Amino acid sequence: MDIQLKRGLLDVSVLAAIKNEPSYGYKIIKDMKPYLELSESTLYTILKRLETANMLTVKTAEHNGRLRKYYHITQNGLKRIEDFKVEWNEILSIYKFVTKEDDPCD
């Protein structure tokens, strides 16, 4: 898969994982596991990139005597998810065009 496309898909997937409630690294990986495998190092790279892009914020809180980072989606992050939904329709149209010769009904 094209690396830029995959990067965009992973970014929006992480945003979707925290869309409804703030979360932390281990839980994000666990929530995404039924859909895709994501290593811890890849996740934290994505989280840092999304934070830099103002799509999420980070707050540190104590949990069981340890500090844990909680990630919160921002308005920019929510907008990115909505933009992705529109873009996905375009991607589906392109896919249908590319694979139209594969359809035995044509």
PDB file of all heavy atoms in Angstrom, residues 24-38:
ATOM      1  N   TYR A  24      -5.997   6.546  26.295  1.00  0.00           N
ATOM      2  CA  TYR A  24      -4.550   6.459  26.471  1.00  0.00           C
ATOM      3  C   TYR A  24      -4.012   5.357  25.567  1.00  0.00           C
ATOM      4  O   TYR A  24      -4.771   4.551  25.018  1.00  0.00           O
ATOM      5  CB  TYR A  24      -4.207   6.210  27.945  1.00  0.00           C
ATOM      6  CG  TYR A  24      -4.897   4.997  28.543  1.00  0.00           C
ATOM      7  CD1 TYR A  24      -4.269   3.761  28.574  1.00  0.00           C
ATOM      8  CD2 TYR A  24      -6.186   5.098  29.059  1.00  0.00           C
ATOM      9  CE1 TYR A  24      -4.901   2.652  29.105  1.00  0.00           C
ATOM     10  CE2 TYR A  24      -6.827   3.996  29.597  1.00  0.00           C
ATOM     11  CZ  TYR A  24      -6.186   2.776  29.619  1.00  0.00           C
ATOM     12  OH  TYR A  24      -6.812   1.674  30.143  1.00  0.00           O
ATOM     13  N   GLY A  25      -2.708   5.347  25.398  1.00  0.00           N
ATOM     14  CA  GLY A  25      -2.056   4.491  24.415  1.00  0.00           C
ATOM     15  C   GLY A  25      -2.478   3.039  24.395  1.00  0.00           C
ATOM     16  O   GLY A  25      -2.906   2.520  23.365  1.00  0.00           O
ATOM     17  N   TYR A  26      -2.355   2.348  25.535  1.00  0.00           N
ATOM     18  CA  TYR A  26      -2.670   0.923  25.574  1.00  0.00           C
ATOM     19  C   TYR A  26      -4.123   0.667  25.175  1.00  0.00           C
ATOM     20  O   TYR A  26      -4.431  -0.256  24.426  1.00  0.00           O
ATOM     21  CB  TYR A  26      -2.389   0.348  26.960  1.00  0.00           C
ATOM     22  CG  TYR A  26      -2.782  -1.104  27.090  1.00  0.00           C
ATOM     23  CD1 TYR A  26      -1.994  -2.107  26.522  1.00  0.00           C
ATOM     24  CD2 TYR A  26      -3.958  -1.475  27.739  1.00  0.00           C
ATOM     25  CE1 TYR A  26      -2.366  -3.442  26.611  1.00  0.00           C
ATOM     26  CE2 TYR A  26      -4.332  -2.794  27.835  1.00  0.00           C
ATOM     27  CZ  TYR A  26      -3.538  -3.778  27.267  1.00  0.00           C
ATOM     28  OH  TYR A  26      -3.910  -5.088  27.352  1.00  0.00           O
ATOM     29  N   LYS A  27      -5.036   1.502  25.655  1.00  0.00           N
ATOM     30  CA  LYS A  27      -6.456   1.324  25.347  1.00  0.00           C
ATOM     31  C   LYS A  27      -6.734   1.589  23.866  1.00  0.00           C
ATOM     32  O   LYS A  27      -7.547   0.901  23.250  1.00  0.00           O
ATOM     33  CB  LYS A  27      -7.327   2.221  26.215  1.00  0.00           C
ATOM     34  CG  LYS A  27      -8.820   1.978  26.019  1.00  0.00           C
ATOM     35  CD  LYS A  27      -9.634   2.705  27.050  1.00  0.00           C
ATOM     36  CE  LYS A  27     -11.113   2.413  26.963  1.00  0.00           C
ATOM     37  NZ  LYS A  27     -11.701   2.276  25.673  1.00  0.00           N
ATOM     38  N   ILE A  28      -6.062   2.573  23.290  1.00  0.00           N
ATOM     39  CA  ILE A  28      -6.242   2.855  21.861  1.00  0.00           C
ATOM     40  C   ILE A  28      -5.836   1.624  21.044  1.00  0.00           C
ATOM     41  O   ILE A  28      -6.566   1.192  20.150  1.00  0.00           O
ATOM     42  CB  ILE A  28      -5.429   4.097  21.432  1.00  0.00           C
ATOM     43  CG1 ILE A  28      -5.994   5.351  22.103  1.00  0.00           C
ATOM     44  CG2 ILE A  28      -5.423   4.244  19.907  1.00  0.00           C
ATOM     45  CD1 ILE A  28      -5.124   6.581  21.969  1.00  0.00           C
ATOM     46  N   ILE A  29      -4.689   1.046  21.366  1.00  0.00           N
ATOM     47  CA  ILE A  29      -4.231  -0.162  20.658  1.00  0.00           C
ATOM     48  C   ILE A  29      -5.237  -1.289  20.832  1.00  0.00           C
ATOM     49  O   ILE A  29      -5.600  -1.975  19.868  1.00  0.00           O
ATOM     50  CB  ILE A  29      -2.828  -0.584  21.146  1.00  0.00           C
ATOM     51  CG1 ILE A  29      -1.785   0.427  20.656  1.00  0.00           C
ATOM     52  CG2 ILE A  29      -2.476  -1.988  20.655  1.00  0.00           C
ATOM     53  CD1 ILE A  29      -0.399   0.223  21.220  1.00  0.00           C
ATOM     54  N   LYS A  30      -5.717  -1.477  22.050  1.00  0.00           N
ATOM     55  CA  LYS A  30      -6.686  -2.538  22.349  1.00  0.00           C
ATOM     56  C   LYS A  30      -7.995  -2.315  21.582  1.00  0.00           C
ATOM     57  O   LYS A  30      -8.562  -3.257  21.020  1.00  0.00           O
ATOM     58  CB  LYS A  30      -6.946  -2.571  23.855  1.00  0.00           C
ATOM     59  CG  LYS A  30      -7.803  -3.687  24.325  1.00  0.00           C
ATOM     60  CD  LYS A  30      -7.888  -3.662  25.844  1.00  0.00           C
ATOM     61  CE  LYS A  30      -9.187  -4.263  26.283  1.00  0.00           C
ATOM     62  NZ  LYS A  30      -9.523  -3.971  27.653  1.00  0.00           N
ATOM     63  N   ASP A  31      -8.478  -1.068  21.544  1.00  0.00           N
ATOM     64  CA  ASP A  31      -9.728  -0.766  20.844  1.00  0.00           C
ATOM     65  C   ASP A  31      -9.602  -0.958  19.332  1.00  0.00           C
ATOM     66  O   ASP A  31     -10.574  -1.319  18.668  1.00  0.00           O
ATOM     67  CB  ASP A  31     -10.171   0.666  21.140  1.00  0.00           C
ATOM     68  CG  ASP A  31     -10.630   0.863  22.576  1.00  0.00           C
ATOM     69  OD1 ASP A  31     -10.869  -0.135  23.283  1.00  0.00           O
ATOM     70  OD2 ASP A  31     -10.738   2.034  23.001  1.00  0.00           O
ATOM     71  N   MET A  32      -8.422  -0.721  18.793  1.00  0.00           N
ATOM     72  CA  MET A  32      -8.225  -0.836  17.354  1.00  0.00           C
ATOM     73  C   MET A  32      -7.917  -2.270  16.917  1.00  0.00           C
ATOM     74  O   MET A  32      -8.064  -2.595  15.735  1.00  0.00           O
ATOM     75  CB  MET A  32      -7.094   0.102  16.912  1.00  0.00           C
ATOM     76  CG  MET A  32      -7.456   1.571  17.059  1.00  0.00           C
ATOM     77  SD  MET A  32      -6.103   2.683  16.649  1.00  0.00           S
ATOM     78  CE  MET A  32      -6.046   2.491  14.869  1.00  0.00           C
ATOM     79  N   LYS A  33      -7.491  -3.102  17.854  1.00  0.00           N
ATOM     80  CA  LYS A  33      -7.015  -4.448  17.522  1.00  0.00           C
ATOM     81  C   LYS A  33      -7.981  -5.281  16.673  1.00  0.00           C
ATOM     82  O   LYS A  33      -7.537  -5.974  15.754  1.00  0.00           O
ATOM     83  CB  LYS A  33      -6.632  -5.203  18.793  1.00  0.00           C
ATOM     84  CG  LYS A  33      -5.869  -6.463  18.510  1.00  0.00           C
ATOM     85  CD  LYS A  33      -5.276  -7.055  19.758  1.00  0.00           C
ATOM     86  CE  LYS A  33      -4.354  -8.174  19.354  1.00  0.00           C
ATOM     87  NZ  LYS A  33      -3.255  -8.346  20.245  1.00  0.00           N
ATOM     88  N   PRO A  34      -9.295  -5.230  16.906  1.00  0.00           N
ATOM     89  CA  PRO A  34     -10.182  -6.029  16.033  1.00  0.00           C
ATOM     90  C   PRO A  34     -10.151  -5.589  14.569  1.00  0.00           C
ATOM     91  O   PRO A  34     -10.552  -6.330  13.686  1.00  0.00           O
ATOM     92  CB  PRO A  34     -11.577  -5.792  16.628  1.00  0.00           C
ATOM     93  CG  PRO A  34     -11.352  -5.329  18.021  1.00  0.00           C
ATOM     94  CD  PRO A  34     -10.039  -4.602  18.001  1.00  0.00           C
ATOM     95  N   TYR A  35      -9.670  -4.382  14.309  1.00  0.00           N
ATOM     96  CA  TYR A  35      -9.693  -3.832  12.960  1.00  0.00           C
ATOM     97  C   TYR A  35      -8.332  -3.783  12.295  1.00  0.00           C
ATOM     98  O   TYR A  35      -8.221  -3.929  11.086  1.00  0.00           O
ATOM     99  CB  TYR A  35     -10.294  -2.422  12.988  1.00  0.00           C
ATOM    100  CG  TYR A  35     -11.640  -2.407  13.660  1.00  0.00           C
ATOM    101  CD1 TYR A  35     -11.768  -2.029  14.989  1.00  0.00           C
ATOM    102  CD2 TYR A  35     -12.774  -2.827  12.979  1.00  0.00           C
ATOM    103  CE1 TYR A  35     -13.007  -2.044  15.618  1.00  0.00           C
ATOM    104  CE2 TYR A  35     -14.013  -2.845  13.600  1.00  0.00           C
ATOM    105  CZ  TYR A  35     -14.125  -2.453  14.927  1.00  0.00           C
ATOM    106  OH  TYR A  35     -15.331  -2.484  15.547  1.00  0.00           O
ATOM    107  N   LEU A  36      -7.288  -3.500  13.083  1.00  0.00           N
ATOM    108  CA  LEU A  36      -5.948  -3.444  12.527  1.00  0.00           C
ATOM    109  C   LEU A  36      -4.910  -3.564  13.628  1.00  0.00           C
ATOM    110  O   LEU A  36      -5.164  -3.247  14.784  1.00  0.00           O
ATOM    111  CB  LEU A  36      -5.724  -2.141  11.731  1.00  0.00           C
ATOM    112  CG  LEU A  36      -5.864  -0.828  12.490  1.00  0.00           C
ATOM    113  CD1 LEU A  36      -4.488  -0.227  12.743  1.00  0.00           C
ATOM    114  CD2 LEU A  36      -6.688   0.126  11.652  1.00  0.00           C
ATOM    115  N   GLU A  37      -3.758  -4.090  13.245  1.00  0.00           N
ATOM    116  CA  GLU A  37      -2.635  -4.223  14.170  1.00  0.00           C
ATOM    117  C   GLU A  37      -1.824  -2.946  14.145  1.00  0.00           C
ATOM    118  O   GLU A  37      -1.521  -2.422  13.072  1.00  0.00           O
ATOM    119  CB  GLU A  37      -1.743  -5.400  13.765  1.00  0.00           C
ATOM    120  CG  GLU A  37      -2.349  -6.754  14.049  1.00  0.00           C
ATOM    121  CD  GLU A  37      -2.412  -7.091  15.528  1.00  0.00           C
ATOM    122  OE1 GLU A  37      -1.478  -6.728  16.279  1.00  0.00           O
ATOM    123  OE2 GLU A  37      -3.407  -7.707  15.927  1.00  0.00           O
ATOM    124  N   LEU A  38      -1.497  -2.451  15.317  1.00  0.00           N
ATOM    125  CA  LEU A  38      -0.738  -1.223  15.426  1.00  0.00           C
ATOM    126  C   LEU A  38       0.260  -1.391  16.557  1.00  0.00           C
ATOM    127  O   LEU A  38      -0.128  -1.721  17.683  1.00  0.00           O
ATOM    128  CB  LEU A  38      -1.701  -0.063  15.731  1.00  0.00           C
ATOM    129  CG  LEU A  38      -1.210   1.341  15.583  1.00  0.00           C
ATOM    130  CD1 LEU A  38      -0.821   1.636  14.130  1.00  0.00           C
ATOM    131  CD2 LEU A  38      -2.287   2.316  16.020  1.00  0.00           C
TER     132      LEU A  38
END
